[in-house]
Amino acid sequence: PHQPIRRICCIGAGYVGVPSSAVIASKCPDIDVTVVDISAAKVAAWNSDRHPLYEPGLSELISQTRGVNLHFSCDMIGPLEGADLVFICVNTPTKAYGLGQGKAADLTTLEAAARHIVRTASQPKIVVEKSTVPVRAAESICTILRANERPGVRHTVLSNPEFLAEGSAVQDLLRPDRVLIGGERTDEGQEAVQRLVSVYARWVPKERLVTMNLWSSELSKLVANAMLAQRISSINAASAICEATGADVSEVALAVGADSRIGPRFLCASLGFGGSCFQKDVLNFGVPCLNLPEVARYWESVVTLNQYQKYRFADKIIVDLFNTVKGKRIAVLGFAFKKDTGDTRESPAIDVCRRLIDEGALLRVYDPKVASSQIRLDLNQPEPDEASDAAVLTVRLLSCEGAHAVVICTEWSEFSQLDFGRIFASMAKPAFVFDGRNVLDHEALLRIGFRVRAVGKRL
Ligand code: NAD
Ligand code: UGA
């Protein structure tokens, strides 16, 4: 029998690191979990009651475990030194400079994490890549570790990509479709795999614990995200055809999704997908295909279609508002990239709002979970001194007064509960609704008197 894991250190206190660590801490009371981050402000926020991100069910988990067997620290030495197993959960954004700019992954944080680990480690550790990385990143980590290991200390690298989605992270972690663990086919590698398997086996059924070789595990994560993104681009491409022909994309999705080989989920046409990962991972997947240009072009088209969908939506607003939005007030509902999160990374709302601002529109943006300072930052808007003529106003309570259009960018459930009769009464006429998520009752809006535009259907 192998040595049980007693102490875990997680590097990166973000959307992946914290929910994963909190779930492990709650399911494994005998394991001590410390999450470390270079951002002292983030660590302080996790140690307070004002957490830096919103994720349903996470605060409850943290209040049960923090100070018991879950800790947050910016000490990058002690918790790493004491850990048997280290999860690397740092961000791996797209490179914004130099070679591979705009496509390749920026692996600076990953390498920094590997160097932190090896600098302190006097005991052998299992180093687990949880961040999403290009295939064979584990080899780079391994090489850095080997070159810096102390004599007699040999670390093992595993790949354990994370499949949680924001807004449902805790549920996804508690009941994952599968947990993937990749390791080298050596005795050490396989022992490390089994030690990590026994952590998850506390709450994940055995048949969902899938082990494989390192490179398959790394690549599976990229393929999964690329295929999810491709599915959305496929239904969004269909939505453009629906609008041109009079077909209804919701009906098409229903019919297509009823085929058990295709399945009904993840077929909602929208103003485009967002989030920190889909675009990055699709492009990342394309990069190793540098010598396979057809393959790279195929995946790039998923991103191209997504850009097209965002601008198609924004341009429809401009065209339908009689080809000018200059000086017109437009109420934007929702700014996060999806509901149940406050995350705005790559949110399609950003592209849509920027396009409208460029055309001279005066936006009022409301999101239940995004701070107005974040909205201003994403839209490059300074704090307004004169509320009346600012390009972007963020309001806690929606005011659509005088607006020419209401634009839905995020599918927050509360938006379908709004009193659209009152909203209509307060708006400029003709009053438009552009539903970028197909979440409103379009027939009811038409009866009120709205001109309604949705994605992939004519109304
Ligand atoms: P994030 O930005 O929310 O968190 C990453 C954290 O790492 C930040 O707090 C940052 O300060 C910290 N960090 C960076 N360099 C560090 C270093 N050298 N030492 C210590 N801390 C450091 O990112 P995220 O959304 O949690 O994503 C992390 C990884 O997981 C990415 O590779 C992403 O692709 C992948 N992933 C994300 C999701 C998701 O839904 N967000 C889901 C699955 C996988
Ligand atoms: C996605 C994957 O679903 C996770 O499995 C993966 O772990 C994660 O990326 C990651 O690697 O980061 P996430 O981006 O958090 O999770 O959220 P999704 O639910 O996948 O939504 C992504 C975007 O697609 C959102 O903007 C969403 O509104 C949009 N979407 C989703 C649609 O437009 N239509 C759909 O039918 C589904």
Side-chain angles (χ1 to χ4, degrees):
H2 43 260
Q3 282 275 105
I5 301 293
R6 292 274 175 240
R7 282 204 270 184
I8 292 179
C9 179
C10 169
I11 308 182
Y15 285 89
V16 168
V18 174
S20 315
S21 298
V23 166
I24 293 176
S26 79
K27 291 292 179 185
C28 312
D30 56 320
I31 299 181
D32 205 66
V33 186
T34 303
V35 188
V36 298
D37 201 290
I38 36 167
S39 163
K42 231 180 211 184
V43 169
W46 284 118
N47 278 322
S48 77
D49 292 330
R50 288 177 64 87
H51 296 160
L53 60 90
Y54 169 70
E55 193 55 59
L58 182 59
S59 294
E60 291 80 347
L61 269 188
I62 290 179
S63 61
Q64 288 160 20
T65 49
R66 192 178 61 193
V68 182
N69 65 333
L70 177 67
H71 317 276
F72 296 95
S73 168
C74 34
D75 172 8
M76 299 289 297
I77 298 172
L80 275 172
E81 173 63 35
D84 316 307
L85 183 145
V86 181
F87 281 116
I88 302 182
C89 297
V90 298
N91 45 325
T92 49
T94 304
K95 262 185 97 174
Y97 53 88
L99 192 65
Q101 178 177 10
K103 283 191 184 172
D106 188 338
L107 297 175
T108 314
T109 50
L110 193 77
E111 176 163 344
R115 290 186 186 276
H116 276 306
I117 295 167
V118 79
R119 200 178 53 203
T120 54
S122 54
Q123 298 296 323
K125 295 188 192 308
I126 301 177
V127 176
V128 184
E129 222 177 43
K130 206 175 230 328
S131 296
T132 306
V133 293
V135 188
R136 297 199 84 93
E139 194 169 40
S140 313
I141 297 179
C142 211
T143 307
I144 292 168
L145 297 180
R146 293 275 178 277
N148 293 279
E149 277 163 354
R150 299 184 193 180
V153 179
R154 205 173 157 81
H155 307 300
T156 321
V157 179
L158 299 180
S159 156
N160 171 218
E162 184 48 63
F163 294 96
L164 66 82
E166 288 177 32
S168 55
V170 171
Q171 284 311 315
D172 293 343
L173 287 161
L174 289 172
R175 273 179 283 281
D177 287 346
R178 76 315 210 175
V179 168
L180 196 55
I181 301 175
E184 280 186 288
R185 297 269 181 238
T186 57
D187 288 349
E188 290 162 1
Q190 289 308 300
E191 192 199 329
V193 167
Q194 289 313 316
R195 290 180 74 193
L196 182 54
V197 161
S198 12
V199 173
Y200 286 110
R202 317 279 190 98
W203 77 96
V204 180
K206 235 188 4 237
E207 63 280 8
R208 295 193 176 203
L209 295 169
V210 182
T211 61
M212 55 179 65
N213 92 35
L214 267 171
W215 323 128
S216 309
S217 171
E218 288 178 332
L219 184 61
S220 300
K221 172 65 195 177
L222 295 177
V223 176
N225 269 6
M227 288 182 75
L228 288 169
Q230 176 216 44
R231 208 170 145 92
I232 303 170
S233 279
S234 300
I235 198 73
N236 282 343
S239 78
I241 300 176
C242 287
E243 286 165 42
T245 55
D248 178 328
V249 77
S250 304
E251 294 178 346
V252 172
L254 188 81
V256 170
D259 187 322
S260 60
R261 292 168 301 176
I262 296 175
R265 295 178 63 194
F266 239 72
L267 280 178
C268 297
S270 64
L271 72 168
F273 63 73
S276 61
C277 294
F278 274 179
Q279 175 167 324
K280 149 178 101 67
D281 293 344
V282 171
L283 294 176
N284 223 328
F285 183 36
V287 170
C289 304
L290 280 180
N291 294 326
L292 301 168
E294 288 79 3
V295 180
R297 268 202 302 279
Y298 172 72
W299 287 107
E300 274 171 22
S301 73
V302 170
V303 173
T304 309
L305 197 288
N306 195 50
Q307 286 303 91
Y308 164 76
Q309 186 77 351
K310 290 187 277 189
Y311 290 125
R312 200 169 74 78
F313 182 70
D315 292 350
K316 185 158 58 180
I317 300 172
I318 298 162
V319 170
D320 285 356
L321 291 180
F322 314 106
N323 288 307
T324 175
V325 291
K326 197 166 166 54
K328 288 183 181 167
R329 187 166 293 167
I330 296 178
V332 177
L333 299 190
F335 198 74
F337 82 99
K338 61 184 282 196
K339 73 170 181 179
D340 294 335
T341 179
D343 193 353
T344 65
R345 290 178 293 179
E346 306 289 335
S347 178
I350 298 175
D351 292 290
V352 170
C353 288
R354 284 190 180 165
R355 188 80 145 203
L356 295 174
I357 291 169
D358 286 347
E359 290 282 328
L362 304 176
L363 303 186
R364 289 190 169 210
V365 186
Y366 166 70
D367 188 286
K369 287 292 176 198
V370 183
S372 54
S373 53
Q374 183 64 47
I375 296 175
R376 280 184 214 294
L377 193 73
D378 287 331
L379 297 179
N380 299 321
Q381 295 289 314
E383 289 293 324
D385 37 20
E386 274 291 309
S388 55
D389 61 357
V392 172
L393 264 183
T394 40
V395 279
R396 182 69 213 138
L397 272 173
L398 170 70
S399 163
C400 297
E401 211 175 303
H404 289 254
V406 171
V407 178
I408 306 282
C409 285
T410 313
E411 72 282 21
W412 285 101
S413 311
E414 66 179 64
F415 295 158
S416 40
Q417 313 301 321
L418 290 169
D419 181 347
F420 278 98
R422 268 181 59 191
I423 291 174
F424 180 78
S426 71
M427 288 174 66
K429 306 296 179 322
F432 285 81
V433 169
F434 295 89
D435 185 354
R437 297 288 187 166
N438 291 348
V439 284
L440 301 182
D441 180 344
H442 300 143
E443 295 303 323
L445 293 173
L446 288 168
R447 280 197 299 276
I448 292 171
F450 279 106
R451 296 189 179 200
V452 185
R453 306 289 187 262
V455 179
K457 53 188 85 186
R458 287 186 192 164
L459 291 157

